[in-house]
Amino acid sequence: MTRLTRADLDALPAYVPGRNVADVARELGLAEAIKLASNEVPFGPLPGVPEAVATAVTQSHRYPDMGVVQLRDRLASRYGVTGDRVVTGCGSVALAEILAKATCLPGDEIVYSWRSFEAYPIIAAGIGATSVKVPNTAGHSHDLTAMADAITDRTRLVIVCNPNNPTGTSVRKAELDRFLDTVPSDVLVVLDEAYREFVTDDQVPDGLATYGDRPNVVVLRTMSKAWGLAGLRMGFLVAQPEVAGAIRKVLTPFSTSLVAQAAALAALDAEAEVTRRCAIIINERERVTEALRKLLPDVPTSQANFVWLPLGDRAAEFGAACEKRGVIVRPFAGDGVRVTIGTPEENDAFLAAAESAL
């Protein structure tokens, strides 16, 4: 049979989403299950978002503003940059894909820490680039020294996920300063800050405020997490104008939908509520971490809206044990388990499952 797709994609693992809550509940005969496998916030849409979405839907027969001018300018004003530096897209992961497309030709290298966001190897393979995976430190964080050493003449893109998904660990300003000073000026560094709103360590820098003026730095942000728009897919990046302009050339036209634009504008009006919700998540994160360390002492400190259990080969077994109790977590086979922080009641159910499993 004639092959119609690339043979190298056979070796690429598919992105694994969290299991469907209804499926798990039905399989177990439960009234409902708890999903802590996807890094969402549990509090529902922000005030004003459902109304904005409902209004936008009445115009869904029209194309959205391809330039995303109103939202772009609103984001630019909030983050203290000019509008020509902001690019929006279908979530920050889609923008990471576009960045790879804008910087790499087949055979070029993308350097990133591993384990980190599972979409990175998929993005690299999708454009025929070579993944250079640099092992995490013993503390489950980026080894920036080793990442710098891994850069070659073929490297076009380096990704630093800070805080890191799925381990929740962060790199601090002093080490990030040294790293960025080492990276060649013709290599683009992406600071993936999808979880920035949950950071409480004042030594973990705001990449945009601290490094946004560097020509070879791009900062990725998302509105899927703290801003509660995971189901509407809304992300943005901030880069220098010439980089942003090149990215727009390869951006999928109309990729920021009319509904997503309206929802994002409404969400930006509810910033006080975002802050309140983040504070709840942060408090619960600390409580869950403290309880878990009584069962598993080497749980790392998280600066995200999830925690990491470094269970190694026991990860799948732990995930299955939690699921039997109606709590869906996210095992990474051979490495560990990521658990999203939910409501206090959901977290209590997880902790009970974890105590039983461990």
Side-chain angles (χ1 to χ4, degrees):
M1 178 179 174
T2 302
R3 187 178 185 94
L4 299 177
T5 59
R6 287 166 38 189
D8 64 304
L9 297 183
D10 290 348
L12 185 68
Y15 185 92
V16 180
R19 287 200 66 196
N20 183 277
V21 175
D23 290 343
V24 172
R26 184 174 56 253
E27 290 170 11
L28 296 173
L30 300 173
E32 61 181 356
I34 296 169
K35 183 182 179 183
L36 301 177
S38 300
N39 293 332
E40 307 151 332
V41 291
F43 305 118
L46 289 164
V49 169
E51 295 80 3
V53 167
T55 300
V57 166
T58 66
Q59 297 299 312
S60 60
H61 60 297
R62 304 292 187 187
Y63 281 108
D65 172 18
M66 184 172 164
V68 200
V69 174
Q70 186 178 3
L71 177 57
R72 181 201 67 190
D73 289 349
R74 180 75 179 276
L75 289 167
S77 175
R78 185 187 185 279
Y79 291 98
V81 297
T82 54
D84 59 351
R85 297 183 58 191
V86 178
V87 182
T88 66
C90 184
S92 58
V93 64
L95 290 169
E97 185 175 15
I98 294 299
L99 279 164
K101 186 177 179 181
T103 56
C104 295
L105 293 171
D108 287 340
E109 293 175 346
I110 300 178
V111 173
Y112 52 89
S113 191
W114 195 253
R115 180 172 290 272
S116 191
F117 184 31
E118 61 187 310
Y120 296 156
I122 298 172
I123 288 169
I127 60 167
T130 299
S131 280
V132 179
K133 298 180 179 179
V134 178
N136 290 341
T137 67
H140 314 287
S141 188
H142 285 45
D143 186 338
L144 292 182
T145 300
M147 289 178 68
D149 291 342
I151 295 172
T152 72
D153 291 341
R154 295 172 56 200
T155 304
R156 305 303 310 136
L157 195 66
V158 178
I159 306 174
V160 176
C161 190
N162 198 33
N164 185 45
N165 178 13
T167 64
T169 53
S170 300
V171 291
R172 291 178 157 190
K173 184 178 183 300
E175 56 185 322
L176 197 49
D177 284 349
R178 288 192 296 269
F179 174 74
L180 291 174
D181 288 342
T182 302
V183 176
S185 61
D186 61 348
V187 174
L188 195 68
V189 178
V190 177
L191 301 180
D192 188 345
E193 296 187 332
Y195 304 95
R196 176 64 208 174
E197 291 85 354
F198 303 104
V199 173
T200 56
D201 183 347
D202 60 8
Q203 295 302 305
V204 177
D206 177 319
L208 183 53
T210 310
Y211 308 110
D213 60 342
R214 295 195 179 218
N216 67 329
V217 169
V218 173
V219 178
L220 278 179
R221 296 283 177 89
T222 185
M223 298 188 77
S224 294
K225 317 299 181 188
W227 298 88
L229 300 182
L232 292 173
R233 312 308 303 132
M234 173 58 221
F236 63 97
L237 64 77
V238 179
Q240 290 301 312
E242 60 272 20
V243 175
I247 292 166
R248 289 191 190 94
K249 291 181 179 179
V250 294
L251 190 68
T252 303
F254 304 107
S255 58
T256 308
S257 75
L258 182 148
V259 172
Q261 291 184 43
L265 285 165
L268 288 167
D269 287 333
E271 186 164 354
E273 177 62 10
V274 171
T275 301
R276 187 188 74 84
R277 294 180 178 193
C278 286
I280 296 172
I281 294 294
I282 290 164
N283 287 336
E284 282 295 291
R285 178 184 73 198
E286 305 312 312
R287 181 176 76 89
V288 169
T289 299
E290 182 180 354
L292 285 173
R293 283 178 175 161
K294 295 176 182 177
L295 305 170
L296 193 68
D298 55 345
V299 170
T301 298
S302 173
Q303 290 290 303
N305 69 327
F306 53 85
V307 292
W308 175 249
L309 283 69
L311 289 167
D313 293 337
R314 294 185 292 159
E317 178 186 354
F318 178 87
C322 288
E323 199 165 292
K324 286 180 181 178
R325 296 177 66 103
V327 180
I328 308 169
V329 296
R330 179 68 172 85
F332 293 81
D335 284 330
V337 178
R338 188 191 68 200
V339 185
T340 303
I341 299 299
T343 65
E345 296 76 18
E346 290 172 338
N347 299 332
D348 286 342
F350 161 67
L351 290 172
E355 185 171 5
S356 174
L358 294 174

